[in-house]
Amino acid sequence: MVKELQLRVTLKEEEYDNILITKSAQALDIDKEDITGVKVLRKSIDARKPKIIINYKVAVYIREVLPKTSDYKFDYKDVSKAKPVHIIGFGPAGMYAALRCIELGFKPIVLERGKNVKDRRRDLKAINQDHFVNEDSNYCFGEGGAGTYSDGKLYTRSLKRGDVRRIFENLVFHGATDQILVDAHPHIGTNKLPKVVQNIRETILKHGGEIYFETRVTDFTIKNNKIQAIQLQNGEEMTANRVILATGHSARDIFYLLHKKEIALEAKSFAMGVRVEHPQHIIDSIQYHCSGPRHELLPAASYSLVQQVNERGVYSFCMCPGGFIVPAATANGEVVVNGMSPSKRNNLYANSGIVVEIDVNRDLPKYEQFGPLKGLEYQKNLERMAFTAGGRSQVAPAQRLTDFVEGRLSVDLNPSSYQPGLNSAPLHSLLPKFLGSRLRKGFSAFGQKMKGYYTHEANVVGVESRTSSPVCIPRNDDLEHPQIKGLYPCGEGGGYAGGIVSAAMDGERCAEAAIKGL
């Protein structure tokens, strides 16, 4: 017999051995000896009150063997001689599209402009230490995409777009901890993601798929509005009639290419702002109601904040407790910041993007000349401003939070996790008024919601500009571009995802769509 229960456990109780068995026996009014095992289905922390509670959803096995393996099975076939599907980009969308192709009996041929995870590390070091950006290998481009060197956050609201559990189980199958199946806000950690990504690559190659790194797509051969071939930077041409375009939200050259070829694009609303960094102990003290170090059983505290300011949402994005701020530029001459965390989230700082919604049809009148690329051009201008304000390197412009809100240049800055370094700059006046004024009001409101959040011990760092794609590549109900047969826009770059899980689900859907009639 198996019974599902909701259990509430205090921090003190959490310290006891076999507390879930004890609690389950009490709830079911049975002897503990009758319980053969307890499987945790979901775990979350309720820290709204000083007495912190850990909520568990569990399956209690009564005189029945606890299963050791998952119900999920992944039937990967030998596709070495199967019909091909070309996939451009090897981020979450491209990886899961390739895996799904193999399950369905088709051969994925993956073209990735960046390097594999091992070789990619040298280019990340060059950004941090030498301030040089390899435009094909950086925090956005390379094996695993932007997700590889990120927090690996797996929380998603896209529950109707696919089987979220299946995405998680596949990550576990490829080496992620099964804790992601349990946590209410799961993450893998930037230190563990590269191995998971490498394992996915090995699965694809083992079953007959092909992956080509350092292979940039520069053009498409199109006849009678149908994909015929892919042109590569090295001059080669690959015949292709099914192309899944999973290039990510930062592949601007692809947007320019499609626009030049008069392939339909649409401007898409997105968000931009800054990244704020606090000492982690401040966020812990606010969220856990503690004056000293947090309890050893509690993870580094996070937060989620939102405020309406002058008819636009100002909100936290990609919050990284115990994490680092990283340089996420994809070209020299721009500064972009993002956040990541190791699996233990044990760094001294907490950082989060704080961004403002941008309605491209109402908020960018000066950029109308760029048509569907107007949001992209706005994005680029802010990144160039940050490059100049930082000192024309990967050093980022920054202010103390209180100085940013109160409109004064910071005499000095707080220590930071951002390796290239910070330069004091008047971000409050450098950012467009549309963004800067809303951010300042938003931070003031956040200080009221989280007492202690508004502090001179926090830095505001610019700019957080790559939250999502500013361009949508349209597709019809069959997930195919309405103008170009055989082209399947996919994931974040197409405008159809907003994170690892939603991109992975979209990759699977595009694979299923692309093989029809093949």
Side-chain angles (χ1 to χ4, degrees):
M1 181 187 300
V2 181
K3 291 276 190 179
E4 288 193 4
L5 292 177
Q6 300 284 347
L7 301 176
R8 290 168 56 84
V9 179
T10 67
L11 279 177
K12 184 64 177 176
E13 291 172 331
E14 184 77 356
E15 297 176 1
Y16 301 152
D17 292 337
N18 300 319
I19 185 60
L20 295 182
I21 292 178
T22 301
K23 286 271 189 177
S24 297
Q26 291 171 352
L28 295 170
D29 194 23
I30 61 175
D31 195 297
K32 287 196 294 184
E33 300 302 319
D34 291 333
I35 297 177
T36 50
V38 175
K39 181 179 181 180
V40 177
L41 304 177
R42 183 66 67 190
K43 178 182 178 182
S44 63
I45 297 171
D46 185 349
R48 290 174 294 179
K49 296 180 180 179
K51 186 178 181 180
I52 295 172
I53 298 294
I54 302 174
N55 292 312
Y56 285 97
K57 181 181 179 182
V58 300
V60 184
Y61 287 74
I62 304 167
R63 294 184 294 276
E64 187 168 325
V65 178
L66 186 71
K68 293 183 179 180
T69 59
S70 170
D71 294 334
Y72 273 80
K73 305 297 179 186
F74 299 98
D75 182 20
Y76 296 124
K77 303 172 175 66
D78 180 0
V79 296
S80 55
K81 298 180 180 179
K83 293 180 179 179
V85 174
H86 289 75
I87 300 168
I88 304 175
F90 199 49
M95 288 191 300
Y96 271 79
L99 290 172
R100 189 66 179 135
C101 281
I102 293 172
E103 285 186 285
L104 297 170
F106 292 82
K107 180 177 183 173
I109 298 177
V110 181
L111 310 175
E112 167 56 51
R113 69 191 297 167
K115 300 178 182 179
N116 64 44
V117 284
K118 183 179 179 181
D119 293 341
R120 193 176 169 190
R121 290 191 182 102
R122 300 188 189 95
D123 297 312
L124 303 187
K125 183 178 179 181
I127 299 174
N128 282 295
Q129 295 186 3
D130 304 326
H131 303 254
F132 173 77
V133 180
N134 181 328
E135 297 188 4
D136 287 320
S137 179
N138 44 62
Y139 278 96
C140 290
F141 300 147
E143 185 174 18
T148 302
Y149 295 99
S150 72
D151 194 57
K153 281 181 281 292
L154 302 175
Y155 180 71
T156 181
R157 294 185 177 89
S158 303
L159 302 180
K160 296 181 180 179
R161 296 187 185 181
D163 188 342
V164 173
R165 179 77 179 199
R166 174 185 158 84
I167 302 300
F168 283 27
E169 291 276 5
N170 212 337
L171 288 168
V172 173
F173 179 81
H174 284 100
T177 171
D178 59 6
Q179 191 65 32
I180 66 173
L181 304 175
V182 171
D183 289 342
H185 289 82
H187 85 292
I188 298 176
T190 189
N191 54 320
K192 294 187 176 182
L193 271 164
K195 182 60 178 175
V196 175
V197 167
Q198 182 178 321
N199 290 342
I200 291 174
R201 178 221 307 166
E202 290 172 357
T203 291
I204 294 167
L205 295 177
K206 175 183 175 182
H207 291 87
E210 297 177 10
I211 303 172
Y212 298 92
F213 293 109
E214 299 182 69
T215 303
R216 190 203 287 198
V217 172
T218 56
D219 204 353
F220 300 106
T221 300
I222 298 170
K223 292 182 180 179
N224 299 321
N225 291 330
K226 189 178 188 307
I227 286 281
Q228 300 287 322
I230 298 168
Q231 308 290 333
L232 305 180
Q233 188 178 34
N234 63 8
E236 292 182 20
E237 180 178 270
M238 300 181 79
T239 300
N241 60 13
R242 294 289 193 282
V243 175
I244 296 175
L245 192 62
T247 46
H249 60 42
S250 291
R252 290 170 171 167
D253 55 322
I254 293 295
F255 296 136
Y256 286 125
L257 170 64
L258 297 179
H259 189 53
K260 181 180 179 181
K261 297 180 79 69
E262 298 184 346
I263 295 173
L265 299 174
E266 299 170 358
K268 173 180 158 293
S269 294
F270 61 113
M272 291 180 67
V274 293
R275 191 152 280 264
V276 63
E277 183 172 61
H278 290 77
Q280 181 63 52
H281 70 81
I282 290 180
I283 305 302
D284 289 342
S285 66
I286 297 169
Q287 300 295 68
Y288 293 143
H289 322 282
C290 58
S291 55
R294 67 178 184 270
H295 193 284
E296 62 181 6
L297 292 177
L298 292 173
S302 62
Y303 60 83
S304 178
L305 294 166
V306 62
Q307 180 71 28
Q308 286 292 314
V309 179
N310 299 337
E311 300 182 337
R312 292 291 182 276
V314 179
Y315 59 93
S316 57
F317 172 83
C318 184
M319 198 274 148
C320 297
F324 305 83
I325 299 179
V326 298
T330 52
N332 293 289
E334 62 190 32
V335 165
V336 181
V337 292
N338 197 0
M340 71 179 190
S341 297
S343 57
K344 292 184 179 180
R345 289 181 164 173
N346 55 357
N347 191 39
L348 295 175
Y349 302 98
N351 70 78
S352 178
I354 304 296
V355 296
V356 179
E357 292 177 328
I358 297 174
D359 184 333
V360 289
N361 296 317
R362 296 173 57 188
D363 301 332
L364 308 179
K366 295 181 180 179
Y367 289 79
E368 287 298 328
Q369 61 182 305
F370 298 106
L373 302 182
K374 55 188 173 183
L376 188 156
E377 294 298 329
Y378 183 77
Q379 191 184 58
K380 283 175 61 176
N381 279 349
L382 261 67
E383 293 168 5
R384 290 169 181 157
M385 175 276 293
F387 177 77
T388 302
R392 306 188 69 79
S393 69
Q394 285 303 302
V395 171
Q399 271 178 288
R400 288 181 183 253
L401 173 58
T402 48
D403 291 338
F404 176 77
V405 173
E406 294 165 25
R408 57 175 178 263
L409 182 68
S410 296
V411 176
D412 56 10
L413 298 168
N414 296 297
S416 173
S417 67
Y418 184 71
Q419 285 189 32
L422 303 179
N423 180 51
S424 180
L427 282 172
H428 66 278
S429 60
L430 291 174
L431 289 171
K433 185 177 180 181
F434 170 86
L435 286 177
S437 63
R438 285 177 170 83
L439 286 170
R440 292 163 73 183
K441 291 178 182 178
F443 277 125
S444 295
F446 295 163
Q448 295 297 314
K449 293 180 179 182
M450 286 180 64
K451 302 299 182 182
Y453 180 91
Y454 182 70
T455 171
H456 70 284
E457 292 185 64
N459 287 329
V460 169
V461 184
V463 290
E464 173 86 23
S465 53
R466 307 287 180 93
T467 59
S468 64
S469 175
V471 180
C472 174
I473 307 174
R475 64 190 190 189
N476 57 28
D477 291 342
D478 295 324
L479 308 189
E480 193 173 34
H481 193 282
Q483 181 185 348
I484 308 298
K485 291 289 184 182
L487 181 64
Y488 295 83
C490 181
E492 288 201 35
Y496 301 102
I500 291 173
V501 175
S502 57
M505 289 192 293
D506 201 55
E508 290 200 331
R509 293 178 64 213
C510 285
E512 292 164 1
I515 67 168
K516 291 179 180 178
L518 191 60

